[in-house]
Amino acid sequence: MKTPTLFVLATLALSVGCATAIPPKELVVAREEYSAAARSPTASMKPAELLTAKQELDRAEALFVDEGDSKATRDVAYVAHRKTLLAESTARTAAATKQMDEAGVQFGSTQAQRLEDTTARLQTAQGTLKDTQGALVRSAADLDKEKVARVEAERKAALAMADLQRIAAVKKEDRGMVITLSGGVLFATDKHDVQSSAMPQLNQVGDALVKNSPDSTITVEGHTDSQGAASYNHDLSQQRADAVAAYLVSRGIARDRVTARGIGPDRPVANNGTVDGRAQNRRVEIIVTPKP
Amino acid sequence: MMKLTLLSVLGITALAACGGSIPPPNENLGSAEAAARSAKEVGADKDPQAALYLKMADDQISQAKDLMRNGDDAEAGRALYRARADAELSLQLAKEVTARKLADEASAKARAAKEVK
């Protein structure tokens, strides 16, 4: 009876001996890794993969209980550890994929917004272009009108000049169109009433001015030669200018357009030393300034 | 006599149970080699972590083949069981590297697009 008991005891001892208290390094590492993974986002992101790892770890624990630090315990613990790492990597990969997708959506959204903005700017630019083109067309029309008006004004001025040139000496100066009428023709010596013989000429001047320069300003200047007292000459020239101005008004030129000035001997046009020169200096100038 | 035999049988069974948890090598050889190949294809050898587990897988596969040649299927089975886990982990780590790279590129592109005036 001793041998069988010994044999049984030996078998029991061996069986008990399989379940030693100190876990192998592989099992310790597997437990730690699983514990960390269970507390990390892996648990929520990849529960299936983590469960697989847990199942392997449970198998390793069971083996450890049954067999202690056996090769199988170590192998299964080793694989449980790898499966835990795999679950964690899968979770990180899923997070990266999600980030990529979100970035893609953001990019798409930015591009769509940019397209919208560009389209809006293009439409605004097109609107501005249309307005500008419209304005250009209107300006061109206005320019044409202006041109026509200018041509017409020039035509009228040329006509006026031509008309007057038939009647009197006309010169274009900076101060305007200057019609010079001889003092000797208009007035008797020392007189300031317009002679009737001069009236036809003056009539024509007046008519031409009324017809061709309706808006101009008219300045009538009386001039004398240098003979006699200056004050006398100033008075005479003023009176003569007034007379011609009054005559022009009587021919239809508006009163407010006409100014009369006596210049006296102050602005000779010829040499007062000769008979001819003095005759030239005795004159009336009608200066026609167009409306500005 | 019956009691003794029964207990002995139980004892032998207990001893046998100490090594019967790992599948035979044939199943795992194909899977381990396939996983290691896939890992290489996705560039596992270029990432330090992935490369580490790939090397472990390759070494154990090699070891298993030697063991099988010598008739030690049990040990070969264990080596392949571990090798397969290492190869699958290596493959997953390599995929993670790629996903990370793509995510970083997409984020950079989205940021750059926002900054353009």
Side-chain angles (χ1 to χ4, degrees):
Chain A
M1 279 336 270
K2 236 185 183 172
T3 323
T5 319
L6 267 169
F7 185 75
V8 167
L9 280 170
T11 312
L12 278 165
L14 274 165
S15 301
V16 168
C18 283
T20 46
I22 302 165
K25 164 180 96 275
E26 289 88 344
L27 185 56
V28 172
V29 167
R31 283 172 182 169
E32 281 171 3
E33 195 62 50
Y34 179 79
S35 187
R39 290 194 304 270
S40 78
T42 307
S44 55
M45 290 193 79
K46 290 287 168 184
E49 284 80 353
L50 194 59
L51 179 62
T52 305
K54 178 71 165 54
Q55 286 167 341
E56 198 73 13
L57 181 61
D58 288 346
R59 222 156 67 82
E61 297 287 5
L63 281 165
F64 178 60
V65 166
D66 290 344
E67 301 172 14
D69 185 2
S70 69
K71 278 186 183 177
T73 304
R74 278 184 261 128
D75 287 341
V76 175
Y78 178 103
V79 169
H81 175 244
R82 297 318 190 246
K83 289 193 173 180
T84 305
L85 291 177
L86 189 134
E88 288 172 307
S89 174
T90 314
R92 287 192 301 266
T93 304
T97 305
K98 186 167 175 236
Q99 183 193 326
M100 179 184 73
D101 291 341
E102 283 169 2
V105 166
Q106 218 184 71
F107 177 76
S109 160
T110 304
Q111 295 301 83
Q113 186 61 52
R114 178 148 300 118
L115 178 64
E116 212 181 285
D117 292 346
T118 305
T119 306
R121 277 206 304 274
L122 177 64
Q123 282 172 342
T124 306
Q126 282 173 331
T128 306
L129 177 65
K130 205 169 163 194
D131 290 343
T132 306
Q133 283 171 331
L136 276 170
V137 166
R138 284 192 296 277
S139 290
D142 286 345
L143 276 170
D144 277 344
K145 268 193 208 161
E146 256 183 51
K147 195 176 170 191
V148 165
R150 200 175 55 245
V151 165
E152 181 58 18
E154 280 170 7
R155 190 186 69 86
K156 280 194 168 173
L159 275 173
M161 188 76 146
D163 281 348
L164 287 164
Q165 276 169 335
R166 280 194 283 275
I167 315 157
V170 185
K171 220 166 105 180
K172 218 161 180 204
E173 289 180 19
D174 286 343
R175 52 185 175 147
M177 182 168 67
V178 182
I179 307 159
T180 307
L181 299 164
S182 163
V185 167
L186 287 170
F187 308 102
T189 311
D190 286 337
K191 296 284 187 248
H192 55 78
D193 304 309
V194 174
Q195 296 186 110
S196 43
S197 56
M199 281 175 191
Q201 191 190 33
L202 256 187
N203 289 344
Q204 284 177 57
V205 169
D207 292 347
L209 286 174
V210 165
K211 190 175 89 185
N212 297 324
S213 315
D215 297 326
S216 337
T217 318
I218 294 163
T219 311
V220 181
E221 286 181 351
H223 299 265
T224 63
D225 60 25
S226 59
Q227 283 199 319
S231 60
Y232 174 81
N233 282 331
H234 270 285
D235 288 346
L236 182 62
S237 64
Q238 181 66 59
Q239 285 164 337
R240 283 180 170 180
D242 288 339
V244 169
Y247 194 82
L248 290 174
V249 167
S250 76
R251 294 302 296 177
I253 293 170
R255 188 79 203 75
D256 56 5
R257 282 175 58 201
V258 189
T259 322
R261 277 211 294 264
I263 309 297
D266 299 348
R267 288 216 295 262
V269 293
N271 180 8
N272 274 311
T274 65
V275 169
D276 215 17
R278 286 195 293 279
Q280 283 182 63
N281 287 333
R282 292 189 299 272
R283 68 197 189 282
V284 168
E285 287 179 349
I286 302 173
I287 304 120
V288 184
T289 322
K291 189 176 175 167
Chain B
M1 217 49 207
M2 267 299 257
K3 228 184 197 172
L4 179 65
T5 319
L6 190 65
L7 281 166
S8 306
V9 166
L10 279 170
I12 292 159
T13 314
L15 281 167
C18 281
S21 312
I22 311 298
N26 327 308
E27 195 186 301
N28 279 326
L29 178 60
S31 309
E33 283 185 315
R37 231 186 347 265
S38 298
K40 278 191 202 86
E41 279 165 19
V42 299
D45 49 348
K46 298 198 176 55
D47 172 68
Q49 276 291 293
L52 172 69
Y53 290 104
L54 180 61
K55 177 148 199 322
M56 286 195 251
D58 282 342
D59 288 349
Q60 283 166 133
I61 290 167
S62 192
Q63 201 181 70
K65 284 175 173 170
D66 285 342
L67 288 161
M68 280 162 85
R69 266 194 291 273
N70 294 335
D72 194 345
D73 281 4
E75 279 301 318
R78 279 189 198 97
L80 288 169
Y81 182 63
R82 293 191 303 266
R84 183 177 171 177
D86 282 327
E88 285 171 353
L89 176 58
S90 173
L91 173 59
Q92 175 52 43
L93 288 170
K95 285 180 182 174
E96 184 189 336
V97 168
T98 305
R100 177 82 260 139
K101 184 163 169 260
L102 289 172
D104 288 345
E105 281 171 0
S107 293
K109 192 176 168 190
R111 257 198 316 275
K114 258 199 160 141
E115 279 159 21
V116 173
K117 290 278 173 273

